[in-house]
């Protein structure tokens, strides 16, 4: 798997808040879900790989050491949903709901900073 987000991997990712990071992961998960629903396996796989890359950058961020258990469980559950037997019984809607909360938090923080 090649690096898709080189500038983020080079350190810029760590300038984002946890909400921003997970909102971005969620955007890629949403793309993977949509492409999968359209039966475009290749585009779905590529979006999922980008989501995993961003999630790994989040897991590697030392600021989130207290959240490591949750972040690694999210990775485990995503792998199970997209590549495994879906033993956790995740749904597209449950993933959308999980990541939507981070998108909302990120948007609220941006509005507060803007004015």
């Amino acid at each position: 798997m090649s690096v898709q987000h080189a500038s983020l991997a080079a350190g810029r990712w760590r300038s984002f808040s946890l909400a921003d990071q997970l909102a971005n992961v969620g955007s890629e998960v949403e793309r993977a879900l949509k492409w999968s629903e359209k039966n475009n396996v290749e585009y779905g796989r590529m979006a999922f790989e980008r989501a995993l890359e961003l999630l790994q950058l989040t897991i590697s961020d030392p600021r989130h050491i207290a959240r490591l258990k949750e972040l690694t469980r999210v990775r485990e559950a995503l792998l199970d949903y997209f590549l495994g037997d879906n033993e956790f019984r995740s749904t597209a809607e449950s993933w959308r709901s999980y990541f939507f909360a981070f998108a909302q938090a990120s948007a609220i923080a941006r509005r507060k900073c803007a004015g």
Side-chain angles (χ1 to χ4, degrees), residues 18-42:
L18 178 63
D20 289 339
Q21 289 176 349
L22 290 175
N24 278 281
V25 173
S27 292
E28 293 296 352
V29 169
E30 178 63 29
R31 287 182 188 93
L33 292 169
K34 285 188 175 187
W35 284 117
S36 296
E37 289 166 357
K38 292 179 180 183
N39 293 318
N40 191 319
V41 176
E42 182 63 15

Side-chain angles (χ1 to χ4, degrees), residues 17-115:
S17 70
L18 178 63
D20 289 339
Q21 289 176 349
L22 290 175
N24 278 281
V25 173
S27 292
E28 293 296 352
V29 169
E30 178 63 29
R31 287 182 188 93
L33 292 169
K34 285 188 175 187
W35 284 117
S36 296
E37 289 166 357
K38 292 179 180 183
N39 293 318
N40 191 319
V41 176
E42 182 63 15
Y43 280 12
R45 180 192 58 78
M46 291 183 337
F48 177 63
E49 286 180 1
R50 290 190 304 269
L52 284 180
E53 179 184 5
L54 294 178
L55 185 56
Q56 186 56 49
L57 291 173
T58 302
I59 289 168
S60 299
D61 189 330
R63 297 175 298 161
H64 309 317
I65 192 75
R67 299 194 186 277
L68 200 54
K69 188 174 182 179
E70 177 184 358
L71 294 170
T72 55
R73 182 56 58 103
V74 168
R75 180 181 57 201
E76 179 183 12
L78 278 171
L79 287 165
D80 176 57
Y81 180 77
F82 282 99
L83 301 177
D85 296 328
N86 197 17
E87 293 177 24
F88 293 115
R89 303 290 179 239
S90 301
T91 63
E93 189 53 41
S94 68
W95 286 117
R96 287 181 171 117
S97 177
Y98 178 79
F99 286 110
F100 182 71
F102 295 106
Q104 280 187 308
S106 178
I108 289 168
R110 276 194 313 273
R111 273 183 283 189
K112 285 182 180 179
C113 289

